[in-house]
Amino acid sequence: MGLAGDLDASPFPGKAGAWEGAGEADTFTPHVVAWNLTKRCNLACAHCYISAGSWHAAKDELSTADCLRILDELLEVNPNPMLILSGGEPLLREDLEELAEHASQGGATVVVGTNGTRLTHDRIASLMQAGVKGVAVSVDSLDPTYHDRFRHGGGALQDTLAAVDRLREHRLDFVVQTSLTRGNRGELADLVGWAEEKGALSFNLYFLVATGRGEGMRGLSPQENDEVLLELLELEEQYRGRMMIRSKCQPQIMRHIVDGESASPLMNYRTRCPCGVHYCRITPEGKVTPCPYTPAVAGDLNESSFGEIWRESRVFNALRHGELGGRCGKCEYREVCGGCRARAYAETGDLLGPDDSCAYDPPGDRPVVRPPAPVGYGEDWEGSLPWTEEAQERISRVPSFVRGVVSARVEAFARERGYREVDVEVMTEVRRSLPVDFSRKLPFFLRRGGEA
């Protein structure tokens, strides 16, 4: 139903017709879904993967009714996803709070990705009232000349920094997103320090994928990427327990992690690129793709349900079961890294092709490196201790992609202290002792009744 055309412009050159049928697709869960609700934006950022801007029209977007239908279809597949409502600039959609409330009441953990310039006190309050649990704001430099030029908006940095202060005042959790370029590479440590000082839960560094307006940009060289990853790991260790620091669209960081200190909480990201495996994107028009940086269409929500696309798409099944090509295919780190599939597609036209942004040249004759973590994000946890009914209900409210990790930590905590079962008192004790290694927000789900 509506899936026959998902390989019309094949993202697997020479492989069309492979991976027919669902296979084991029903064992995969969409733990995180990014939804570009609109292409409208008050800025026109140089790297924008969706080429957003003020010239786009609302009539080209899904209606409120269609969005509500799709939300229900998504929640049928996973009752507790992490839902990222983004754009363009999602605050330009007048129904944003209605959609957020519908998703939140249905069981999703809803966050909003924004450039931050329109986050007034009133809008932050309305988002919180709608059940939004966090906001991602974009800050590419603390130099207003650079940031405003990169974002194509005069006064953008000033407005965004003011919004960060408002988020702190309202106690709404936020993360800082930075797009890496040669222009801000030397500012990385200052940006991380500023984000931690402001109280960000996480600092996410995005490496360029040449798609959308980003096609006209040139990313760093493989060696430069590697140097930045090493610096990022030093910063992660420095701020561990206070703020999460992550690499985005550059999974090559995992090679350094598994070869280095296993105490890094980043070890819990134990799968290769999650696109189409645990993660996908919905476009403003209703197309489903593996991630925001991958235009390859897995299905159309105007023709098929979310569940049908997630289970039956040949694009998704290829990403889940297909063999990587080129240097990624022969690399011993392919299970913990596997390269960025979006970049491979942007540069080769093949979703399973090589990611040549990597500095490592694999010899091709070494044993495959396996993830050493006992449980990773998106995985289930089968513990050995009994859980009380109330404790089970409490843990069920944790977003599915981190539930296994949280459950494992709670049980480990209980066993270390000689408890014979997990109850709400144990969970409350865990909440008081948890470091900020994957999100300060997680203790929210461990509180009695989920009170703020």
Side-chain angles (χ1 to χ4, degrees):
M1 178 181 175
L3 295 175
D6 67 358
L7 283 183
D8 286 348
S10 177
F12 314 101
K15 303 171 189 173
W19 308 288
E20 295 286 351
E24 300 177 15
D26 58 351
T27 65
F28 295 87
T29 302
H31 292 293
V32 182
V33 177
W35 194 336
N36 296 121
L37 289 170
T38 181
K39 287 185 178 179
R40 289 177 288 148
C41 189
N42 57 312
L43 302 178
C45 304
H47 66 306
C48 183
Y49 59 82
I50 203 169
S51 298
S54 59
W55 52 88
H56 292 290
K59 64 180 180 61
D60 298 323
E61 304 163 4
L62 291 168
S63 67
T64 301
D66 283 334
C67 289
L68 294 174
R69 168 184 59 82
I70 292 167
L71 284 172
D72 289 339
E73 293 173 357
L74 168 59
L75 293 172
E76 285 181 5
V77 179
N78 180 8
N80 303 110
M82 175 71 76
L83 180 64
I84 306 167
L85 299 180
S86 186
E89 177 47 61
L91 298 183
L92 292 175
R93 280 203 60 142
E94 295 179 357
D95 60 357
L96 177 61
E97 280 83 353
E98 180 180 356
L99 300 180
E101 183 175 17
H102 188 85
S104 178
Q105 290 183 349
T109 297
V110 181
V111 298
V112 171
T114 171
N115 61 43
T117 61
R118 303 175 68 87
L119 279 173
T120 63
H121 284 292
D122 288 345
R123 199 66 193 270
I124 293 171
S126 69
L127 290 173
M128 295 178 71
Q129 182 66 30
V132 171
K133 294 295 189 291
V135 173
V137 295
S138 299
V139 178
D140 297 301
S141 175
L142 298 175
D143 176 1
T145 300
Y146 179 89
H147 179 94
D148 293 358
R149 183 175 66 245
F150 187 74
R151 294 273 164 182
H152 290 180
L157 179 62
Q158 180 179 354
D159 291 342
T160 300
L161 297 186
V164 168
D165 289 335
R166 294 185 196 108
L167 290 168
R168 290 190 67 185
E169 183 178 340
H170 286 265
R171 301 184 67 183
L172 179 58
D173 288 338
F174 67 95
V175 303
V176 173
Q177 319 257 52
T178 295
S179 296
L180 176 67
T181 68
R182 283 186 170 80
N184 64 5
R185 177 186 173 187
E187 200 179 348
L188 181 56
D190 289 339
L191 282 163
V192 171
W194 169 82
E196 192 277 333
E197 180 183 349
K198 289 295 183 180
L201 302 184
S202 177
F203 178 87
N204 298 335
L205 185 66
Y206 282 80
F207 289 70
L208 178 70
V209 177
T211 185
R213 272 199 297 272
E215 289 182 7
M217 297 181 64
R218 182 168 65 94
L220 275 63
S221 70
Q223 185 58 43
E224 289 171 322
N225 285 333
D226 218 44
E227 292 169 359
V228 172
L229 290 177
L230 291 173
E231 181 182 359
L232 206 61
L233 286 176
E234 291 178 358
L235 291 166
E236 188 278 319
E237 184 174 3
Q238 178 182 346
Y239 289 95
R240 190 176 301 167
R242 291 181 283 161
M243 182 178 71
M244 188 80 165
I245 297 176
R246 296 181 291 184
S247 157
K248 295 292 188 176
C249 305
Q250 199 72 22
Q252 288 84 355
I253 196 171
M254 293 302 296
R255 172 170 58 88
H256 296 296
I257 292 174
V258 298
D259 284 347
E261 184 193 359
S262 60
S264 172
L266 296 174
M267 193 68 74
N268 291 116
Y269 290 93
R270 56 182 297 176
T271 61
R272 70 190 199 196
C273 178
C275 300
V277 180
H278 298 306
Y279 177 47
C280 68
R281 181 270 295 258
I282 301 172
T283 73
E285 303 84 10
K287 304 293 178 62
V288 180
T289 77
C291 83
Y293 296 92
T294 309
V297 176
D300 189 339
L301 290 164
N302 296 294
E303 301 174 0
S304 307
S305 72
F306 181 88
E308 288 172 322
I309 295 170
W310 181 258
R311 291 187 298 268
E312 302 172 18
S313 168
R314 286 171 285 175
V315 170
F316 286 165
N317 275 298
L319 287 167
R320 295 162 188 169
H321 306 295
E323 295 184 4
L324 301 179
R327 61 196 304 198
C328 288
K330 69 176 184 177
C331 182
E332 66 268 29
Y333 298 98
R334 59 185 175 271
E335 293 296 324
V336 294
C337 169
C340 173
R341 297 299 93 215
R343 187 175 294 107
Y345 183 67
E347 296 179 354
T348 71
D350 185 352
L351 272 174
L352 298 178
D355 175 3
D356 288 329
S357 70
C358 181
Y360 182 63
D361 186 16
D365 59 356
R366 295 179 180 173
V368 175
V369 176
R370 305 292 180 185
V375 61
Y377 293 128
E379 296 181 352
D380 294 328
W381 168 253
E382 295 183 6
S384 57
L385 291 179
W387 289 56
T388 65
E389 183 175 344
E390 188 176 356
Q392 290 178 9
E393 193 279 330
R394 190 80 52 82
I395 202 70
S396 72
R397 297 200 297 270
V398 175
S400 63
F401 85 106
V402 293
R403 190 179 302 137
V405 172
V406 176
S407 299
R409 294 193 177 205
V410 170
E411 279 216 10
F413 181 94
R415 284 195 303 272
E416 288 170 1
R417 285 155 180 77
Y419 297 128
R420 296 184 178 182
E421 69 173 5
V422 175
D423 56 21
V424 293
E425 285 74 19
V426 171
M427 299 179 80
T428 300
E429 193 175 344
V430 171
R431 178 175 65 84
R432 296 194 188 103
S433 65
L434 272 177
V436 190
D437 58 355
F438 46 87
S439 172
R440 286 186 190 135
K441 195 59 184 175
L442 288 178
F444 168 83
F445 298 100
L446 303 182
R447 296 174 188 171
R448 184 178 300 276
E451 303 96 335

